[in-house]
Amino acid sequence: MRREGLYVLLLVIGGLALTLTSVAGLENGLARTPPMGWMPFERFRCVTDCVKFPRDCISERLFMRTADLLVSEGYAAAGYKYLIIDDCWMEKERNAITAELMADRERFPSGMNHLSAYIHNKSLKLGLYHDIGKRTCMHLGPGAHGHYSIDAKTFANWNVDYVKLDGCYVNGIDLNTAYPAFGQALNRTGRPMVYSCSWPYYQNHPNFELIKKHCNLWRFADDIRDSTESIAKIIFKYFKRQDHLTKHVAPGSWNDPDMLVLGNYHLSYDASRLQLAMWAVLAAPLIMSNDLQTVRPEIRALLQNRDIIEVDQDPLGIPGHCVLMSGNIQVWLRPVMPTNNIGVRSFAVAFANIGDYNECPLCPQTFRIILQNLGLTNQMGYTAYDLFDSKRKVGLFKPKDQFTIRINPSGVEFYKFKPEDIYPLSIHFASASASASASVFATISAVALTLQFNYSL
């Protein structure tokens, strides 16, 4: 069965809408690539009854067990270094004498210094949740309001490496003043701490120019859930705001679409691939939220896929864009290293099947595209590699060649296109090619080109 359809290719005159200009952000020397690690919240929520639920409760045992598994199961070696304790770790009130925050004495009987040392002795880094408001979101523990300096010093004394700052119970608090002030308090301690802000999520019209000056990463969407629908909703929100979101990203400053939920209960294998590939294209933090003791081997292999992690951690720090949409098919493109001998960049390209395909909802779809229509114009061509199968080199493709793939429902195919070197290399040709390569990504007035393509079942 064949049908013809239309797709809209989101291009700009003279090149793709992918900004390659440098972005000035928070310069604390941290998070030069998106942070990777583990966080309990989506999987373990705020379980505090360690009598009824000893294995799942938010306690030092959970975090010590997870630290062990991050190392023994190979996650730390793959780059997952931050073990981040989310809400529900603290006592309901501050120390009556010092006004300091305190870890819950029943669930963290050894104290936060002991847990911090345990985590650091595994060559991991410790992250800790807090809230800019008067109370934390789930546990209703004491927020940072009125205690910025003392809380920052407490975190420094505990050797915290990463602070996640939520934004609940903020009536009467100016977030545009509060978040910078807490970040400055962190900096004054002299302890390097990655600063993760929920700041823009709590505003209708966030000022990202201000946010990127004070935060290493920031949440922009709803809390993720263990479902394909939740992942698709976050991707769609990013797509609607991509021109605004992407221009503020650079090494040290990242959009945070929330946790990876691979390895829990509801995602299929294809949906698990979808989330991992899309987060890598977006240059997103890779923060898992799962039970590492029960993650299936095939999901562990996905999470530790070195080729996809390499895309996510690409040193250029350029986030991807959705450059093509047709119904439920989306094509996302991210410039990455390496370059060829005249500086033409490689591309990570995700072909995502998101949403309903009414004619056959459970059918894979065939998709065809001419590479130059995606902006891949290197005349010597590109060698394509399947990022889900490091042993599979798909072949050499020239700009006018057609690339054909099959995409499963709620799934993705993910490739890296490496440009071939230009030979023979004359000064004139190299200069012209380099100029042409740069112009492909010049940001000029946007247009939509409506082109034809055929796809078949």
Side-chain angles (χ1 to χ4, degrees), residues 316-348:
L316 294 176
I318 303 170
H321 266 71
C322 181
V323 296
L324 182 153
M325 289 190 68
S326 175
N328 51 300
I329 300 295
Q330 301 178 5
V331 180
W332 293 74
L333 195 76
R334 181 181 178 188
V336 294
M337 295 295 286
T339 63
N340 71 358
N341 60 337
I342 63 165
V344 176
R345 291 184 171 95
S346 302
F347 289 95

PDB file of all heavy atoms in Angstrom, residues 316-348:
ATOM      1  N   LEU A 316      30.807  20.379  21.488  1.00  0.00           N
ATOM      2  CA  LEU A 316      30.313  21.613  20.872  1.00  0.00           C
ATOM      3  C   LEU A 316      29.173  22.215  21.688  1.00  0.00           C
ATOM      4  O   LEU A 316      28.996  23.433  21.715  1.00  0.00           O
ATOM      5  CB  LEU A 316      29.832  21.349  19.445  1.00  0.00           C
ATOM      6  CG  LEU A 316      30.884  20.934  18.417  1.00  0.00           C
ATOM      7  CD1 LEU A 316      30.209  20.611  17.089  1.00  0.00           C
ATOM      8  CD2 LEU A 316      31.919  22.034  18.241  1.00  0.00           C
ATOM      9  N   GLY A 317      28.384  21.377  22.312  1.00  0.00           N
ATOM     10  CA  GLY A 317      27.274  21.874  23.134  1.00  0.00           C
ATOM     11  C   GLY A 317      26.164  22.522  22.338  1.00  0.00           C
ATOM     12  O   GLY A 317      25.435  23.370  22.865  1.00  0.00           O
ATOM     13  N   ILE A 318      25.998  22.132  21.068  1.00  0.00           N
ATOM     14  CA  ILE A 318      24.940  22.700  20.232  1.00  0.00           C
ATOM     15  C   ILE A 318      23.723  21.789  20.305  1.00  0.00           C
ATOM     16  O   ILE A 318      23.796  20.625  19.909  1.00  0.00           O
ATOM     17  CB  ILE A 318      25.399  22.840  18.766  1.00  0.00           C
ATOM     18  CG1 ILE A 318      26.650  23.697  18.670  1.00  0.00           C
ATOM     19  CG2 ILE A 318      24.281  23.431  17.908  1.00  0.00           C
ATOM     20  CD1 ILE A 318      27.291  23.668  17.295  1.00  0.00           C
ATOM     21  N   PRO A 319      22.587  22.269  20.782  1.00  0.00           N
ATOM     22  CA  PRO A 319      21.402  21.406  20.865  1.00  0.00           C
ATOM     23  C   PRO A 319      20.777  21.204  19.492  1.00  0.00           C
ATOM     24  O   PRO A 319      20.969  21.991  18.570  1.00  0.00           O
ATOM     25  CB  PRO A 319      20.467  22.190  21.783  1.00  0.00           C
ATOM     26  CG  PRO A 319      20.839  23.618  21.547  1.00  0.00           C
ATOM     27  CD  PRO A 319      22.325  23.619  21.289  1.00  0.00           C
ATOM     28  N   GLY A 320      20.002  20.132  19.358  1.00  0.00           N
ATOM     29  CA  GLY A 320      19.340  19.834  18.100  1.00  0.00           C
ATOM     30  C   GLY A 320      18.033  20.577  17.916  1.00  0.00           C
ATOM     31  O   GLY A 320      17.477  21.156  18.848  1.00  0.00           O
ATOM     32  N   HIS A 321      17.568  20.567  16.676  1.00  0.00           N
ATOM     33  CA  HIS A 321      16.281  21.145  16.283  1.00  0.00           C
ATOM     34  C   HIS A 321      15.448  20.076  15.589  1.00  0.00           C
ATOM     35  O   HIS A 321      16.000  19.177  14.947  1.00  0.00           O
ATOM     36  CB  HIS A 321      16.491  22.274  15.260  1.00  0.00           C
ATOM     37  CG  HIS A 321      16.571  23.642  15.835  1.00  0.00           C
ATOM     38  ND1 HIS A 321      17.647  24.080  16.562  1.00  0.00           N
ATOM     39  CD2 HIS A 321      15.705  24.690  15.782  1.00  0.00           C
ATOM     40  CE1 HIS A 321      17.462  25.346  16.920  1.00  0.00           C
ATOM     41  NE2 HIS A 321      16.297  25.736  16.459  1.00  0.00           N
ATOM     42  N   CYS A 322      14.151  20.207  15.686  1.00  0.00           N
ATOM     43  CA  CYS A 322      13.275  19.467  14.782  1.00  0.00           C
ATOM     44  C   CYS A 322      13.263  20.229  13.459  1.00  0.00           C
ATOM     45  O   CYS A 322      12.835  21.387  13.401  1.00  0.00           O
ATOM     46  CB  CYS A 322      11.870  19.361  15.347  1.00  0.00           C
ATOM     47  SG  CYS A 322      10.735  18.440  14.280  1.00  0.00           S
ATOM     48  N   VAL A 323      13.749  19.591  12.395  1.00  0.00           N
ATOM     49  CA  VAL A 323      13.860  20.261  11.106  1.00  0.00           C
ATOM     50  C   VAL A 323      12.805  19.795  10.111  1.00  0.00           C
ATOM     51  O   VAL A 323      12.684  20.362   9.024  1.00  0.00           O
ATOM     52  CB  VAL A 323      15.262  20.068  10.492  1.00  0.00           C
ATOM     53  CG1 VAL A 323      16.311  20.730  11.375  1.00  0.00           C
ATOM     54  CG2 VAL A 323      15.578  18.586  10.295  1.00  0.00           C
ATOM     55  N   LEU A 324      12.062  18.763  10.466  1.00  0.00           N
ATOM     56  CA  LEU A 324      11.042  18.260   9.555  1.00  0.00           C
ATOM     57  C   LEU A 324       9.939  17.594  10.357  1.00  0.00           C
ATOM     58  O   LEU A 324      10.204  16.867  11.309  1.00  0.00           O
ATOM     59  CB  LEU A 324      11.661  17.255   8.583  1.00  0.00           C
ATOM     60  CG  LEU A 324      10.780  16.637   7.494  1.00  0.00           C
ATOM     61  CD1 LEU A 324      11.643  16.235   6.309  1.00  0.00           C
ATOM     62  CD2 LEU A 324      10.016  15.416   7.984  1.00  0.00           C
ATOM     63  N   MET A 325       8.691  17.856   9.958  1.00  0.00           N
ATOM     64  CA  MET A 325       7.540  17.184  10.561  1.00  0.00           C
ATOM     65  C   MET A 325       6.562  16.799   9.459  1.00  0.00           C
ATOM     66  O   MET A 325       6.317  17.573   8.534  1.00  0.00           O
ATOM     67  CB  MET A 325       6.821  18.092  11.563  1.00  0.00           C
ATOM     68  CG  MET A 325       7.579  18.347  12.843  1.00  0.00           C
ATOM     69  SD  MET A 325       6.558  19.180  14.086  1.00  0.00           S
ATOM     70  CE  MET A 325       5.375  17.889  14.476  1.00  0.00           C
ATOM     71  N   SER A 326       5.995  15.603   9.573  1.00  0.00           N
ATOM     72  CA  SER A 326       4.903  15.187   8.702  1.00  0.00           C
ATOM     73  C   SER A 326       4.028  14.223   9.479  1.00  0.00           C
ATOM     74  O   SER A 326       4.401  13.068   9.689  1.00  0.00           O
ATOM     75  CB  SER A 326       5.415  14.521   7.437  1.00  0.00           C
ATOM     76  OG  SER A 326       4.315  14.030   6.678  1.00  0.00           O
ATOM     77  N   GLY A 327       2.897  14.727   9.952  1.00  0.00           N
ATOM     78  CA  GLY A 327       2.041  13.879  10.776  1.00  0.00           C
ATOM     79  C   GLY A 327       2.787  13.457  12.025  1.00  0.00           C
ATOM     80  O   GLY A 327       3.226  14.283  12.821  1.00  0.00           O
ATOM     81  N   ASN A 328       2.962  12.157  12.175  1.00  0.00           N
ATOM     82  CA  ASN A 328       3.627  11.638  13.366  1.00  0.00           C
ATOM     83  C   ASN A 328       5.126  11.420  13.169  1.00  0.00           C
ATOM     84  O   ASN A 328       5.815  10.989  14.089  1.00  0.00           O
ATOM     85  CB  ASN A 328       2.983  10.319  13.802  1.00  0.00           C
ATOM     86  CG  ASN A 328       2.877   9.333  12.665  1.00  0.00           C
ATOM     87  OD1 ASN A 328       2.226   9.620  11.672  1.00  0.00           O
ATOM     88  ND2 ASN A 328       3.501   8.184  12.799  1.00  0.00           N
ATOM     89  N   ILE A 329       5.647  11.722  11.976  1.00  0.00           N
ATOM     90  CA  ILE A 329       7.085  11.564  11.740  1.00  0.00           C
ATOM     91  C   ILE A 329       7.783  12.896  11.991  1.00  0.00           C
ATOM     92  O   ILE A 329       7.391  13.926  11.474  1.00  0.00           O
ATOM     93  CB  ILE A 329       7.362  11.108  10.293  1.00  0.00           C
ATOM     94  CG1 ILE A 329       6.694   9.761  10.017  1.00  0.00           C
ATOM     95  CG2 ILE A 329       8.874  11.025  10.046  1.00  0.00           C
ATOM     96  CD1 ILE A 329       7.245   8.616  10.839  1.00  0.00           C
ATOM     97  N   GLN A 330       8.848  12.837  12.792  1.00  0.00           N
ATOM     98  CA  GLN A 330       9.670  14.009  13.066  1.00  0.00           C
ATOM     99  C   GLN A 330      11.132  13.664  12.779  1.00  0.00           C
ATOM    100  O   GLN A 330      11.575  12.550  13.075  1.00  0.00           O
ATOM    101  CB  GLN A 330       9.548  14.451  14.521  1.00  0.00           C
ATOM    102  CG  GLN A 330       8.143  14.795  14.971  1.00  0.00           C
ATOM    103  CD  GLN A 330       8.088  15.180  16.441  1.00  0.00           C
ATOM    104  OE1 GLN A 330       9.120  15.286  17.114  1.00  0.00           O
ATOM    105  NE2 GLN A 330       6.886  15.374  16.952  1.00  0.00           N
ATOM    106  N   VAL A 331      11.860  14.615  12.215  1.00  0.00           N
ATOM    107  CA  VAL A 331      13.300  14.451  12.017  1.00  0.00           C
ATOM    108  C   VAL A 331      14.005  15.538  12.822  1.00  0.00           C
ATOM    109  O   VAL A 331      13.745  16.730  12.647  1.00  0.00           O
ATOM    110  CB  VAL A 331      13.691  14.546  10.535  1.00  0.00           C
ATOM    111  CG1 VAL A 331      15.203  14.357  10.385  1.00  0.00           C
ATOM    112  CG2 VAL A 331      12.946  13.492   9.718  1.00  0.00           C
ATOM    113  N   TRP A 332      14.897  15.098  13.711  1.00  0.00           N
ATOM    114  CA  TRP A 332      15.647  15.994  14.583  1.00  0.00           C
ATOM    115  C   TRP A 332      17.124  15.906  14.219  1.00  0.00           C
ATOM    116  O   TRP A 332      17.669  14.819  14.047  1.00  0.00           O
ATOM    117  CB  TRP A 332      15.447  15.611  16.046  1.00  0.00           C
ATOM    118  CG  TRP A 332      14.057  15.835  16.547  1.00  0.00           C
ATOM    119  CD1 TRP A 332      12.942  15.095  16.263  1.00  0.00           C
ATOM    120  CD2 TRP A 332      13.621  16.884  17.418  1.00  0.00           C
ATOM    121  NE1 TRP A 332      11.845  15.608  16.911  1.00  0.00           N
ATOM    122  CE2 TRP A 332      12.228  16.706  17.626  1.00  0.00           C
ATOM    123  CE3 TRP A 332      14.269  17.936  18.041  1.00  0.00           C
ATOM    124  CZ2 TRP A 332      11.487  17.560  18.438  1.00  0.00           C
ATOM    125  CZ3 TRP A 332      13.525  18.786  18.858  1.00  0.00           C
ATOM    126  CH2 TRP A 332      12.146  18.591  19.045  1.00  0.00           C
ATOM    127  N   LEU A 333      17.767  17.059  14.145  1.00  0.00           N
ATOM    128  CA  LEU A 333      19.135  17.157  13.649  1.00  0.00           C
ATOM    129  C   LEU A 333      19.993  17.910  14.663  1.00  0.00           C
ATOM    130  O   LEU A 333      19.604  18.962  15.147  1.00  0.00           O
ATOM    131  CB  LEU A 333      19.128  17.916  12.320  1.00  0.00           C
ATOM    132  CG  LEU A 333      20.356  17.848  11.433  1.00  0.00           C
ATOM    133  CD1 LEU A 333      20.404  16.502  10.722  1.00  0.00           C
ATOM    134  CD2 LEU A 333      20.292  18.959  10.388  1.00  0.00           C
ATOM    135  N   ARG A 334      21.164  17.336  14.985  1.00  0.00           N
ATOM    136  CA  ARG A 334      22.090  17.994  15.902  1.00  0.00           C
ATOM    137  C   ARG A 334      23.507  17.981  15.333  1.00  0.00           C
ATOM    138  O   ARG A 334      24.048  16.908  15.029  1.00  0.00           O
ATOM    139  CB  ARG A 334      22.089  17.293  17.264  1.00  0.00           C
ATOM    140  CG  ARG A 334      23.039  17.964  18.260  1.00  0.00           C
ATOM    141  CD  ARG A 334      23.084  17.298  19.603  1.00  0.00           C
ATOM    142  NE  ARG A 334      24.054  18.003  20.436  1.00  0.00           N
ATOM    143  CZ  ARG A 334      24.462  17.592  21.654  1.00  0.00           C
ATOM    144  NH1 ARG A 334      23.965  16.494  22.180  1.00  0.00           N
ATOM    145  NH2 ARG A 334      25.356  18.301  22.322  1.00  0.00           N
ATOM    146  N   PRO A 335      24.142  19.146  15.177  1.00  0.00           N
ATOM    147  CA  PRO A 335      25.546  19.175  14.748  1.00  0.00           C
ATOM    148  C   PRO A 335      26.457  18.672  15.870  1.00  0.00           C
ATOM    149  O   PRO A 335      26.327  19.085  17.019  1.00  0.00           O
ATOM    150  CB  PRO A 335      25.800  20.657  14.475  1.00  0.00           C
ATOM    151  CG  PRO A 335      24.462  21.316  14.473  1.00  0.00           C
ATOM    152  CD  PRO A 335      23.596  20.493  15.343  1.00  0.00           C
ATOM    153  N   VAL A 336      27.377  17.771  15.509  1.00  0.00           N
ATOM    154  CA  VAL A 336      28.286  17.177  16.496  1.00  0.00           C
ATOM    155  C   VAL A 336      29.667  17.010  15.869  1.00  0.00           C
ATOM    156  O   VAL A 336      29.858  17.192  14.670  1.00  0.00           O
ATOM    157  CB  VAL A 336      27.771  15.810  17.004  1.00  0.00           C
ATOM    158  CG1 VAL A 336      26.474  15.970  17.793  1.00  0.00           C
ATOM    159  CG2 VAL A 336      27.568  14.830  15.846  1.00  0.00           C
ATOM    160  N   MET A 337      30.611  16.652  16.692  1.00  0.00           N
ATOM    161  CA  MET A 337      31.945  16.289  16.229  1.00  0.00           C
ATOM    162  C   MET A 337      31.914  14.844  15.733  1.00  0.00           C
ATOM    163  O   MET A 337      31.038  14.074  16.115  1.00  0.00           O
ATOM    164  CB  MET A 337      32.945  16.448  17.365  1.00  0.00           C
ATOM    165  CG  MET A 337      33.111  17.883  17.826  1.00  0.00           C
ATOM    166  SD  MET A 337      33.818  18.956  16.566  1.00  0.00           S
ATOM    167  CE  MET A 337      35.530  18.393  16.597  1.00  0.00           C
ATOM    168  N   PRO A 338      32.859  14.409  14.877  1.00  0.00           N
ATOM    169  CA  PRO A 338      34.010  15.174  14.402  1.00  0.00           C
ATOM    170  C   PRO A 338      33.694  15.952  13.135  1.00  0.00           C
ATOM    171  O   PRO A 338      32.606  15.830  12.562  1.00  0.00           O
ATOM    172  CB  PRO A 338      35.027  14.067  14.112  1.00  0.00           C
ATOM    173  CG  PRO A 338      34.179  12.927  13.633  1.00  0.00           C
ATOM    174  CD  PRO A 338      32.921  12.989  14.475  1.00  0.00           C
ATOM    175  N   THR A 339      34.685  16.737  12.699  1.00  0.00           N
ATOM    176  CA  THR A 339      34.596  17.440  11.427  1.00  0.00           C
ATOM    177  C   THR A 339      35.486  16.734  10.400  1.00  0.00           C
ATOM    178  O   THR A 339      36.345  15.924  10.759  1.00  0.00           O
ATOM    179  CB  THR A 339      35.056  18.897  11.564  1.00  0.00           C
ATOM    180  OG1 THR A 339      36.445  18.909  11.933  1.00  0.00           O
ATOM    181  CG2 THR A 339      34.238  19.628  12.627  1.00  0.00           C
ATOM    182  N   ASN A 340      35.269  17.082   9.148  1.00  0.00           N
ATOM    183  CA  ASN A 340      36.196  16.580   8.126  1.00  0.00           C
ATOM    184  C   ASN A 340      37.370  17.543   7.976  1.00  0.00           C
ATOM    185  O   ASN A 340      37.528  18.471   8.788  1.00  0.00           O
ATOM    186  CB  ASN A 340      35.472  16.309   6.798  1.00  0.00           C
ATOM    187  CG  ASN A 340      35.046  17.596   6.089  1.00  0.00           C
ATOM    188  OD1 ASN A 340      35.248  18.709   6.583  1.00  0.00           O
ATOM    189  ND2 ASN A 340      34.454  17.443   4.915  1.00  0.00           N
ATOM    190  N   ASN A 341      38.163  17.379   6.939  1.00  0.00           N
ATOM    191  CA  ASN A 341      39.401  18.148   6.825  1.00  0.00           C
ATOM    192  C   ASN A 341      39.193  19.612   6.453  1.00  0.00           C
ATOM    193  O   ASN A 341      40.147  20.384   6.435  1.00  0.00           O
ATOM    194  CB  ASN A 341      40.356  17.483   5.827  1.00  0.00           C
ATOM    195  CG  ASN A 341      39.757  17.381   4.424  1.00  0.00           C
ATOM    196  OD1 ASN A 341      38.548  17.391   4.254  1.00  0.00           O
ATOM    197  ND2 ASN A 341      40.624  17.251   3.427  1.00  0.00           N
ATOM    198  N   ILE A 342      37.958  20.039   6.165  1.00  0.00           N
ATOM    199  CA  ILE A 342      37.706  21.472   5.960  1.00  0.00           C
ATOM    200  C   ILE A 342      36.716  22.021   6.986  1.00  0.00           C
ATOM    201  O   ILE A 342      36.154  23.097   6.801  1.00  0.00           O
ATOM    202  CB  ILE A 342      37.217  21.770   4.530  1.00  0.00           C
ATOM    203  CG1 ILE A 342      35.879  21.080   4.257  1.00  0.00           C
ATOM    204  CG2 ILE A 342      38.258  21.389   3.509  1.00  0.00           C
ATOM    205  CD1 ILE A 342      35.184  21.610   3.016  1.00  0.00           C
ATOM    206  N   GLY A 343      36.467  21.252   8.035  1.00  0.00           N
ATOM    207  CA  GLY A 343      35.656  21.770   9.133  1.00  0.00           C
ATOM    208  C   GLY A 343      34.173  21.525   9.023  1.00  0.00           C
ATOM    209  O   GLY A 343      33.397  22.076   9.824  1.00  0.00           O
ATOM    210  N   VAL A 344      33.720  20.686   8.065  1.00  0.00           N
ATOM    211  CA  VAL A 344      32.295  20.357   7.982  1.00  0.00           C
ATOM    212  C   VAL A 344      31.947  19.404   9.118  1.00  0.00           C
ATOM    213  O   VAL A 344      32.613  18.385   9.321  1.00  0.00           O
ATOM    214  CB  VAL A 344      31.949  19.717   6.621  1.00  0.00           C
ATOM    215  CG1 VAL A 344      30.483  19.282   6.584  1.00  0.00           C
ATOM    216  CG2 VAL A 344      32.230  20.702   5.495  1.00  0.00           C
ATOM    217  N   ARG A 345      30.915  19.723   9.860  1.00  0.00           N
ATOM    218  CA  ARG A 345      30.564  18.949  11.044  1.00  0.00           C
ATOM    219  C   ARG A 345      29.787  17.677  10.701  1.00  0.00           C
ATOM    220  O   ARG A 345      29.157  17.568   9.653  1.00  0.00           O
ATOM    221  CB  ARG A 345      29.742  19.799  12.004  1.00  0.00           C
ATOM    222  CG  ARG A 345      30.529  20.922  12.665  1.00  0.00           C
ATOM    223  CD  ARG A 345      29.670  21.660  13.687  1.00  0.00           C
ATOM    224  NE  ARG A 345      30.466  22.580  14.472  1.00  0.00           N
ATOM    225  CZ  ARG A 345      30.613  23.866  14.205  1.00  0.00           C
ATOM    226  NH1 ARG A 345      30.013  24.385  13.157  1.00  0.00           N
ATOM    227  NH2 ARG A 345      31.354  24.639  14.973  1.00  0.00           N
ATOM    228  N   SER A 346      29.836  16.750  11.636  1.00  0.00           N
ATOM    229  CA  SER A 346      28.960  15.575  11.590  1.00  0.00           C
ATOM    230  C   SER A 346      27.575  15.958  12.085  1.00  0.00           C
ATOM    231  O   SER A 346      27.381  17.036  12.670  1.00  0.00           O
ATOM    232  CB  SER A 346      29.528  14.457  12.463  1.00  0.00           C
ATOM    233  OG  SER A 346      30.827  14.081  12.055  1.00  0.00           O
ATOM    234  N   PHE A 347      26.614  15.048  11.880  1.00  0.00           N
ATOM    235  CA  PHE A 347      25.259  15.275  12.383  1.00  0.00           C
ATOM    236  C   PHE A 347      24.747  14.003  13.050  1.00  0.00           C
ATOM    237  O   PHE A 347      24.950  12.895  12.538  1.00  0.00           O
ATOM    238  CB  PHE A 347      24.292  15.646  11.255  1.00  0.00           C
ATOM    239  CG  PHE A 347      24.519  17.010  10.677  1.00  0.00           C
ATOM    240  CD1 PHE A 347      25.293  17.177   9.538  1.00  0.00           C
ATOM    241  CD2 PHE A 347      23.972  18.124  11.281  1.00  0.00           C
ATOM    242  CE1 PHE A 347      25.516  18.436   9.006  1.00  0.00           C
ATOM    243  CE2 PHE A 347      24.196  19.387  10.757  1.00  0.00           C
ATOM    244  CZ  PHE A 347      24.963  19.539   9.619  1.00  0.00           C
ATOM    245  N   ALA A 348      24.091  14.173  14.195  1.00  0.00           N
ATOM    246  CA  ALA A 348      23.271  13.112  14.771  1.00  0.00           C
ATOM    247  C   ALA A 348      21.839  13.384  14.335  1.00  0.00           C
ATOM    248  O   ALA A 348      21.331  14.490  14.521  1.00  0.00           O
ATOM    249  CB  ALA A 348      23.377  13.115  16.294  1.00  0.00           C
TER     250      ALA A 348
END
